């Protein structure tokens, strides 16, 4: 039986893109067609039974695997970097002349990363499908981290929305854009719990809390993968960096981690487990070591737990060179031992470095690695390729440009950005801007019009030209209200230390009725390898804030950054503060919407903001020492007083800045006020298997419609291990009109009160638990329950 359908698909996918291009494209097309037709004539389902779409992915994997040579099996485990940008010329020659060509045509590469030129993607794929012996398609991976061309807020900003549905929608859009360019696999979401803002990769994370991160981990996987991986707008997701990478000692990237078994299970693993349960296709192990064993060779977590206990059926990719780097870690003596250890640990695919390519076949031939272990590494990769439909439609769709940066995509990006921005101060209702009172508006600051910086880290396919900046959006909105905008940057950029231009900025501030000062961190000082030991605003931005605040005009500070910065003293100098975690392409219009009150701010901090870097790590769900300081009181503790106080007693404290944060977890203000009525608990005593219903009446007692993020926390009062003083167990975003009350219901199953001890036993311990409900981690206690046997 000839495989007509398969051949026709190849031809269609090549005809359409080439038909729009030059004569050269046409000539290439003729060459492709010749090969296609001969393939159609030659290939039969008897010869390649794995092309039978009616068989299950597992059956297709078995039939293909049974035909593969040792070298071809090893080939599937190798991932290489793409070739775009290495040379110019026509696509076919570029590919034919590349070192990759030889490897792909011999079936020695299973995946390519960082290739987004659709013509090159299709040509590399053609070589794999038509020139390699078995025609196994490549899988193309890319870091689509917070959008592809339409850039959404950085993941930490997405976490500040506390809105899983919106995160799903953002990831869906990113998937649609990326798949249109030939990408089938994103290296996202990153779900590393991050309790340390020195770590630059906190920007890529969903913050410090396992519950919030788990919810957003599921939301992202569902968004990227959709209902079916084979849909033309789905990407295989890759949850990373398994696991505990965010615990890097000192917040220094790639650094060692020391994580107790209970902390691994209770804090770092939940978002990974959530992704696995949600059906994530792939997982990436981290660069780091946990308690001395680099993750890339960590058999216990990768094999025993991930595959054994969790039954993960997707595949694990290493991080870039991370198998090779186990030599530098000092646990592998050479490439061969690194390859053996990683293969035994269960790393299916090696990103970039050549340990597998150079050594696995020999390790199998000489009996050090069994062929069945090798098969077990290959199978999940093939299974995902089948599930992605790559054997049925290996090529990327034509006319992709029109799917990028569409009106809908931009509107969604604006909505996500709006919900991600956090109002941290609003003295005397400074915001929203009172249209009638503001005739002249000063916009000052080096990040007011910085198209690149608002996009944040990891935007390989984003373009700064697409960015709509705060300055542009403020000007556009001000025009509608007849307000004049006076703009002076004050500093060349965020690193500028010169105060020369301050006088000009001060003059403009003096003229204006209201000043909006836009400062922050440039995009490339957060993200990978961008750890900072100082978390102040860089350059002379603090001095600029002081100079402008001395003018005495109402002052709104906007910070655009990739992490929480230590801005306590600056907060005291301004009347209002909006914190924008690099909010992407539409950061400007989103900020303008909030400034003018088109929408009320609703973002809440996904991490604790420290007062001083010396307090880090500082997170809300810590355990108590035997000598805790007095309880945290936001109003009392919000100012930074760094005078030394030796009268604090013998408790766990800092005698200079105290142990309390600048802004607590889950915190954010609104243009309205919410009041909470009496919370009802469905039971006082519960057993395992039962569920507590928590009903909280929430009223919008202010004057504008707005969203509130209602949060449910618990405290396990006595445990066989020290237990966190507070743990998030539920949250809900509700929209309320002025005067409206809604009963927000949470279902809290007793199983959610379980925790792991250091023997990795999961326990539900009898005893008392306090319940807290409110709009932040400052939520008051609303009751108590008892878990009984
Ligand atoms: C290294 C990073 O750690 C990882 O997150 C990323 O996906 C890979 N490089 C590929 O770019």
């Amino acid at each position: 039986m000839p495989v007509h359908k398969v051949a026709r698909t190849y031809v269609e996918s090549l005809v359409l893109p080439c038909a729009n291009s030059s004569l050269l494209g046409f000539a290439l097309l003729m060459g492709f067609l010749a090969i296609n037709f001969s393939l159609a004539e030659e290939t039969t389902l008897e010869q390649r039974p794995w092309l039978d779409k009616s068989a299950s992915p597992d059956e297709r994997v078995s039939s293909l695997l049974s035909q593969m040579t040792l070298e071809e099996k090893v080939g599937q485990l190798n991932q290489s970097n793409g070739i775009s940008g290495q040379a110019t010329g026509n696509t076919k020659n570029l590919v034919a002349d590349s070192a990759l060509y030889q490897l792909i045509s011999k079936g020695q590469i299973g995946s390519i990363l960082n290739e987004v030129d659709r013509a090159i993607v299709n040509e590399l794929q053609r070589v794999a499908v038509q020139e390699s012996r078995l025609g196994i398609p490549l899988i193309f991976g890319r870091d689509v981290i917070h959008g592809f061309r339409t850039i959404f807020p950085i993941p930490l900003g997405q976490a500040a929305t506390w809105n899983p549905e919106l995160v799903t929608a953002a990831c869906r859009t990113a998937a649609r854009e990326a798949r249109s360019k030939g990408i089938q696999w994103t290296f996202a979401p990153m779900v590393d719990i991050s309790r340390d803002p020195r770590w630059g990769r906190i920007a890529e994370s969903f913050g410090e809390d396992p519950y919030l991160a788990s919810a957003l981990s599921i939301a992202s996987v569902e968004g990227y993968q959709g209902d079916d991986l084979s849909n033309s707008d789905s990407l295989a997701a890759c949850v990373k960096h398994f696991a505990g990478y965010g615990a890097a000692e000192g917040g220094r990237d790639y650094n060692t981690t020391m994580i107790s078994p209970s902390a691994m299970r209770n804090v770092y693993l939940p978002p990974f487990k959530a992704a696995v349960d949600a059906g994530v296709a792939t997982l990436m192990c981290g660069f780091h070591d946990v308690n001395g064993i680099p993750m890339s060779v960590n058999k216990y977590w990768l094999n025993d737990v991930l595959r054994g206990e969790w039954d993960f059926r997707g595949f694990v990719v290493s991080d870039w060179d991370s198998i090779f780097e186990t030599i530098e870690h000092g646990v592998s003596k050479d490439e061969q031992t690194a390859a053996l250890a990683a293969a035994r640990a269960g790393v299916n695919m090696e990103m970039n470095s050549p340990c597998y390519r150079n050594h696995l076949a020999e390790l199998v031939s000489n009996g050090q690695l069994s062929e069945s272990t090798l098969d077990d590494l290959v199978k999940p990769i093939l299974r995902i390729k089948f599930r992605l439909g790559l054997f049925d439609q290996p090529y990327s769709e034509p006319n992709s440009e029109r799917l990028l940066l569409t009106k809908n995509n931009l509107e969604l990006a604006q909505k996500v950005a709006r919900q991600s921005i956090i109002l941290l101060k609003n003295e005397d209702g400074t915001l929203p801007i009172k249209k009638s009172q503001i005739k002249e508006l000063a916009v000052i600051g080096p990040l007011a019009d910085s198209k690149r910086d608002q996009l944040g880290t990891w935007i390989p396919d984003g373009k700064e030209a697409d960015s709509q900046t705060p300055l542009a959006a403020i000007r556009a909105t001000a025009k509608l209200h007849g307000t004049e905008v006076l703009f002076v940057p004050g500093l060349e950029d965020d690193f500028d230390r010169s105060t020369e231009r301050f006088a000009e900025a001060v003059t403009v501030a003096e003229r204006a009725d209201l000043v909006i000062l836009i400062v922050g961190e440039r995009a490339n000082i957060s993200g990978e390898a961008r750890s900072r030991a100082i978390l102040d605003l860089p350059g002379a931005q603090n001095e600029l804030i002081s100079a402008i605040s001395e003018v005495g005009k109402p002052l709104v500070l906007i910070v655009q950054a990739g992490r929480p910065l230590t801005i306590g003293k600056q907060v005291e100098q301004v009347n209002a503060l909006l914190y924008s975690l690099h909010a992407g392409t539409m950061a400007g219009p989103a900020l303008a919407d909030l400034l003018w009150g088109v929408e009320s701010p609703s973002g809440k901090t996904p991490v604790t903001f420290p007062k001083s870097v010396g307090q880090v790590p500082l997170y809300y769900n810590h355990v108590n020492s035997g000598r805790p300081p007095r309880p945290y009181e936001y109003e009392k503790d919000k100012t930074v007083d760094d005078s030394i106080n030796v009268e604090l007693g013998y408790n766990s404290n800092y005698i200079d800045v105290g142990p309390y944060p600048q802004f607590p977890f889950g915190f954010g203000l609104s243009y309205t006020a919410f009041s909470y009525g009496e919370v009802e608990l469905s039971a006082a005593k519960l057993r395992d298997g039962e569920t507590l219903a928590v009903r909280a009446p929430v009223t919008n007692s202010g004057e504008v419609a707005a969203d509130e993020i209602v949060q449910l926390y618990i405290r396990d009062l006595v445990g066989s291990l020290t237990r966190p003083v507070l743990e998030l167990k539920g949250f809900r975003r509700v929209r309320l009109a002025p005067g409206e009350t809604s009963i927000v219901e949470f279902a809290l199953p007793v199983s959610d009160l379980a925790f792991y001890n250091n023997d990795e036993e999961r326990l539900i311990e009898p005893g008392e638990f306090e319940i807290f409900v409110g709009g932040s981690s400052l939520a008051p206690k609303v009751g108590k329950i008892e878990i009984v046997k």
Side-chain angles (χ1 to χ4, degrees):
M1 186 205 310
V3 193
H4 298 302
K5 190 67 201 291
V6 174
R8 202 175 321 119
T9 320
Y10 295 163
V11 174
E12 278 163 9
S13 68
L14 290 162
V15 169
L16 292 172
C18 292
N20 294 335
S21 80
S22 62
L23 262 179
L24 177 67
F26 185 70
L28 287 177
L29 171 65
M30 292 296 103
F32 292 156
L33 292 181
I35 298 165
N36 274 303
F37 284 126
S38 67
L39 187 89
E41 278 157 25
E42 284 165 15
T43 310
T44 64
L45 277 186
E46 282 77 32
Q47 287 165 324
R48 292 188 175 177
W50 58 89
L51 294 181
D52 179 0
K53 285 201 237 171
S54 65
S56 72
D58 283 347
E59 288 165 344
R60 297 175 81 177
V61 167
S62 304
S63 80
L64 173 53
L65 194 71
S66 68
Q67 302 294 311
M68 291 169 77
T69 63
L70 185 55
E71 285 68 28
E72 284 163 341
K73 288 177 184 174
V74 173
Q76 287 305 304
L77 313 189
N78 299 319
Q79 184 182 57
S80 281
N81 211 19
I83 55 174
S84 288
Q86 285 182 13
T88 50
N90 84 56
T91 304
K92 197 164 167 70
N93 290 347
L94 184 60
V95 169
D97 293 345
S98 70
L100 269 186
Y101 175 82
Q102 291 302 326
L103 294 169
I104 296 173
S105 58
K106 288 190 203 139
Q108 290 177 0
I109 298 277
S111 173
I112 303 284
L113 80 157
N114 296 332
E115 187 53 81
V116 281
D117 181 319
R118 206 168 58 82
I120 296 178
V121 166
N122 277 345
E123 175 58 7
L124 291 168
Q125 189 69 301
R126 189 197 62 76
V127 175
V129 169
Q130 298 182 0
E131 296 192 28
S132 75
R133 191 178 73 91
L134 294 172
I136 304 174
L138 299 161
I139 174 169
F140 289 86
R142 180 72 158 172
D143 289 285
V144 182
I145 305 298
H146 52 112
F148 183 75
R149 179 73 181 270
T150 305
I151 301 300
F152 292 93
I154 53 171
L156 192 62
Q158 293 186 35
T161 69
W162 293 60
N163 190 338
E165 290 80 30
L166 215 47
V167 169
T168 298
C171 295
R172 189 93 222 103
T173 300
R176 190 169 303 127
E177 288 195 351
R179 187 108 190 216
S180 78
K181 288 296 225 176
I183 306 305
Q184 302 124 358
W185 177 25
T186 173
F187 304 125
M190 182 185 112
V191 301
D192 298 311
I193 296 299
S194 310
R195 293 167 156 184
D196 193 332
R198 291 173 298 184
W199 191 48
R201 301 199 83 168
I202 196 170
E204 292 177 61
S205 82
F206 293 134
E208 75 190 27
D209 181 67
Y211 185 92
L212 178 61
S214 299
L216 300 180
S217 172
I218 297 168
S220 309
V221 170
E222 288 176 349
Y224 288 128
Q225 298 195 166
D227 301 336
D228 191 331
L229 282 185
S230 70
N231 290 343
S232 62
D233 59 357
S234 289
L235 295 179
C238 179
V239 66
K240 69 187 186 186
H241 306 84
F242 194 74
Y245 179 40
E249 210 174 82
R252 190 151 50 86
D253 205 4
Y254 316 122
N255 207 2
T256 187
T257 70
M258 294 290 279
I259 307 175
S260 69
S262 61
M264 193 68 165
R265 295 273 184 171
N266 296 328
V267 178
Y268 294 99
L269 288 186
F272 288 95
K273 176 74 165 61
V276 168
D277 290 345
V280 72
T282 74
L283 181 145
M284 187 186 295
C285 58
F287 288 117
H288 61 299
D289 75 278
V290 175
N291 306 339
I293 306 184
M295 263 310 191
S296 307
V297 292
N298 205 315
K299 187 165 178 301
Y300 177 66
W301 294 114
L302 287 176
N303 189 69
D304 304 0
V305 174
L306 178 66
R307 293 209 187 273
E309 195 182 311
W310 296 1
D311 197 24
F312 175 60
R313 299 203 70 222
F315 71 84
V316 176
V317 62
S318 77
D319 205 339
W320 182 275
D321 284 354
S322 71
I323 296 180
F324 180 79
E325 288 172 7
T326 61
I327 301 172
E328 200 66 51
H329 273 286
V331 301
S332 304
K333 79 173 176 348
D334 52 24
E335 275 188 17
Q336 190 178 74
T337 40
L340 183 60
R344 283 188 175 153
V347 179
N348 304 81
M349 187 179 279
E350 180 176 17
M351 185 186 287
N352 197 57
S353 50
C355 306
Y356 279 7
R357 187 180 314 138
N358 294 343
H359 302 284
L360 274 193
E362 188 192 336
L363 284 165
V364 174
S365 304
N366 68 22
Q368 289 192 71
L369 187 75
S370 71
E371 186 144 4
S372 74
T373 304
L374 179 66
D375 288 353
D376 287 344
L377 295 177
V378 180
K379 280 186 221 165
I381 297 173
L382 297 178
R383 195 180 301 121
I384 295 299
K385 289 185 175 183
F386 279 114
R387 284 185 54 207
L388 277 164
L390 297 182
F391 286 85
D392 313 317
Q393 167 48 304
Y395 300 103
S396 141
E397 299 288 333
N399 299 329
S400 54
E401 292 298 333
R402 76 193 148 75
L403 295 173
L404 306 180
L405 220 64
T406 63
K407 187 166 169 285
N408 283 348
N409 296 1
L410 291 173
E411 276 171 13
L412 180 66
Q414 184 170 344
K415 185 171 177 189
V416 182
R418 208 160 48 210
Q419 293 196 8
S420 76
I421 294 164
I422 315 164
L423 179 67
L424 291 172
K425 180 175 183 181
N426 196 19
E427 206 171 58
D428 304 325
T430 306
L431 288 177
I433 294 173
K434 319 280 168 307
K435 293 161 208 164
S436 55
Q437 293 164 21
I438 310 295
K439 294 280 161 256
E440 286 181 307
L441 183 65
V443 177
I444 299 171
L447 264 78
D449 200 26
S450 174
K451 288 180 163 237
R452 172 64 189 89
D453 294 318
Q454 70 187 51
L455 297 179
T457 184
W458 270 126
I459 47 141
D461 303 290
K463 298 208 183 324
E464 61 179 75
D466 301 333
S467 286
Q468 302 192 22
T469 67
L471 177 65
I474 290 170
R475 276 190 171 137
T477 315
K479 205 168 169 191
L480 301 175
H481 302 305
T483 305
E484 194 188 340
V485 173
L486 316 163
F487 171 60
V488 170
L491 290 163
E492 184 75 22
D493 56 33
D494 57 327
F495 283 6
D496 187 359
R497 293 187 171 279
S498 158
T499 55
E500 257 171 37
R501 298 166 80 180
F502 281 17
E504 200 190 350
V506 165
T507 307
V508 157
E510 281 167 347
R511 250 183 76 186
D513 305 303
L514 176 83
V515 183
I516 299 174
L517 180 47
I518 309 179
V519 297
E521 274 187 325
R522 65 181 55 191
N524 72 1
I525 60 169
S526 57
E528 187 178 346
R530 299 296 193 268
S531 296
R532 292 186 63 191
I534 298 169
L535 295 178
D536 294 344
L537 285 161
Q541 295 184 98
N542 284 345
E543 290 81 346
L544 179 63
I545 295 170
S546 298
I548 301 300
S549 100
E550 275 165 26
V551 174
K553 292 294 173 67
L555 176 55
V556 177
L557 185 69
I558 295 177
V559 178
Q560 301 194 78
R563 49 158 73 83
L565 295 172
T566 46
I567 48 167
K569 296 215 164 127
Q570 290 66 50
V571 175
E572 286 164 29
Q573 295 174 316
V574 304
N575 304 94
L577 167 62
L578 284 167
Y579 209 92
S580 175
L581 290 155
H582 290 140
T585 309
M586 298 301 281
L591 280 162
D593 286 347
L594 300 179
L595 288 168
W596 268 276
V598 172
E599 182 60 63
S600 172
S602 59
K604 301 266 184 177
T605 51
V607 278
T608 302
F609 279 50
K611 283 180 179 164
S612 154
V613 74
Q615 297 175 305
V616 168
L618 189 68
Y619 46 93
Y620 86 96
N621 46 357
H622 63 90
V623 299
N624 258 351
S625 74
R627 294 185 172 194
R630 66 158 172 80
Y632 172 41
E633 290 170 64
Y634 176 70
E635 283 304 327
K636 192 162 164 184
D637 295 315
K638 69 182 182 190
T639 50
V640 183
D641 172 10
D642 48 15
S643 57
I644 293 182
N645 179 358
V646 291
E647 306 299 328
L648 293 173
Y650 285 82
N651 54 43
S652 185
N653 222 313
Y654 291 106
I655 57 172
D656 37 27
V657 288
Y660 313 109
Q662 186 65 52
F663 299 109
F665 174 78
F667 179 82
L669 306 170
S670 164
Y671 294 155
T672 194
F674 297 100
S675 48
Y676 285 72
E678 197 163 322
V679 176
E680 208 183 289
L681 305 181
S682 64
K685 285 190 197 309
L686 292 103
R687 289 192 167 69
D688 189 13
E690 296 179 337
T691 295
L692 176 75
V694 179
R695 285 183 210 92
V698 187
T699 304
N700 179 345
S701 40
E703 319 234 299
V704 292
D707 288 6
E708 166 71 320
I709 317 284
V710 184
Q711 301 162 42
L712 167 72
Y713 294 87
I714 60 125
R715 179 170 183 182
D716 180 355
L717 286 179
V718 179
S720 53
L721 280 188
T722 52
R723 305 290 296 124
V725 296
L726 217 52
E727 289 177 85
L728 182 71
K729 291 293 174 188
F731 63 89
R732 187 98 9 98
R733 180 180 266 271
V734 279
R735 179 154 196 92
L736 294 172
E740 187 184 348
T741 299
S742 171
I743 311 279
V744 177
E745 279 208 41
F746 296 99
L748 179 63
V750 171
S751 57
D752 279 11
L753 304 177
F755 69 95
Y756 287 88
N757 65 14
N758 281 314
D759 295 323
E760 296 178 50
E761 292 162 336
R762 186 171 171 279
L763 306 171
I764 298 179
E765 293 185 335
E768 289 182 327
F769 291 74
E770 290 175 337
I771 311 287
F772 305 78
V773 176
S776 75
S777 59
L778 301 168
K781 183 164 79 188
V782 296
K784 205 189 249 185
I785 56 166
E786 191 184 346
I787 303 305
V788 291
K789 277 226 181 248

